[in-house]
Amino acid sequence: MNNQPYLINLPKILDERGNLSFFEHDGQLPFKIARTYWIYDVPGGEVRGGHAFKEQQEFIVALSGAFDVVLHDGEKEIKFNLNRSYYGLYVPNRIWRSLENFSTNSLALIVSDKQYSEDDYIRDFDNFKK
């Protein structure tokens, strides 16, 4: 299993009636999907996320519009701009994440390998760095 974030290219099936992309656990995602949620209607200037997970892994796709995913491993920060629906960002556990700079009408799809559990969240950045 990779402990670093990385982009995953998704299949892009071209069709004059409209294109299609998809993802599946086997062969594309490094985990089985246990939970799916989406973030939308984010007011200008707002930031989502602002936490890390002890165990949970995620895969984030910009289904519509664009936004930045800012990741921090406790030592360095890296930013990914997600703006196409045919690739997404794998985020392993123990990586601080924030989603920001949402364009108008953007839609972020997030799938994870765990059900929601407040106990899995690390919400204090200073604690996270320790």
Side-chain angles (χ1 to χ4, degrees):
M1 185 177 305
N2 191 332
N3 282 340
Q4 295 298 315
Y6 60 91
L7 292 172
I8 297 174
N9 289 311
L10 301 173
K12 186 175 180 185
I13 300 168
L14 302 176
D15 188 306
E16 62 189 31
R17 300 167 299 164
N19 300 331
L20 182 146
S21 292
F22 64 92
F23 56 85
E24 300 170 329
H25 163 62
D26 290 339
Q28 288 175 298
L29 298 186
F31 58 81
K32 283 186 152 183
I33 298 168
R35 180 173 177 236
T36 302
Y37 61 98
W38 46 98
I39 298 171
Y40 57 97
D41 293 342
V42 179
E46 287 297 322
V47 175
R48 297 298 313 244
H51 55 75
F53 293 109
K54 298 172 190 169
E55 300 295 328
Q56 182 172 295
Q57 306 170 78
E58 292 184 326
F59 179 64
I60 305 170
V61 180
L63 288 183
S64 180
F67 53 88
D68 294 330
V69 181
V70 182
L71 304 176
H72 202 293
D73 65 4
E75 294 180 13
K76 67 181 185 306
E77 183 177 282
I78 186 168
K79 183 186 298 188
F80 292 87
N81 179 259
L82 299 184
N83 60 13
R84 297 284 185 259
S85 58
Y86 50 83
Y87 65 84
L89 178 63
Y90 166 69
V91 183
N93 61 354
R94 302 207 176 267
I95 298 286
W96 190 269
R97 82 263 342 264
S98 295
L99 283 69
E100 57 187 43
N101 297 324
F102 285 86
S103 68
T104 301
N105 296 324
S106 58
L107 173 59
L109 175 70
I110 299 100
V111 296
S112 67
D113 68 336
K114 305 279 186 232
Q115 296 290 324
Y116 173 81
S117 170
E118 183 61 34
D119 292 340
D120 193 39
Y121 281 76
I122 305 169
R123 295 191 183 273
D124 180 89
F125 188 70
D126 290 332
N127 252 357
F128 165 75
K129 290 196 317 188
K130 295 176 189 174

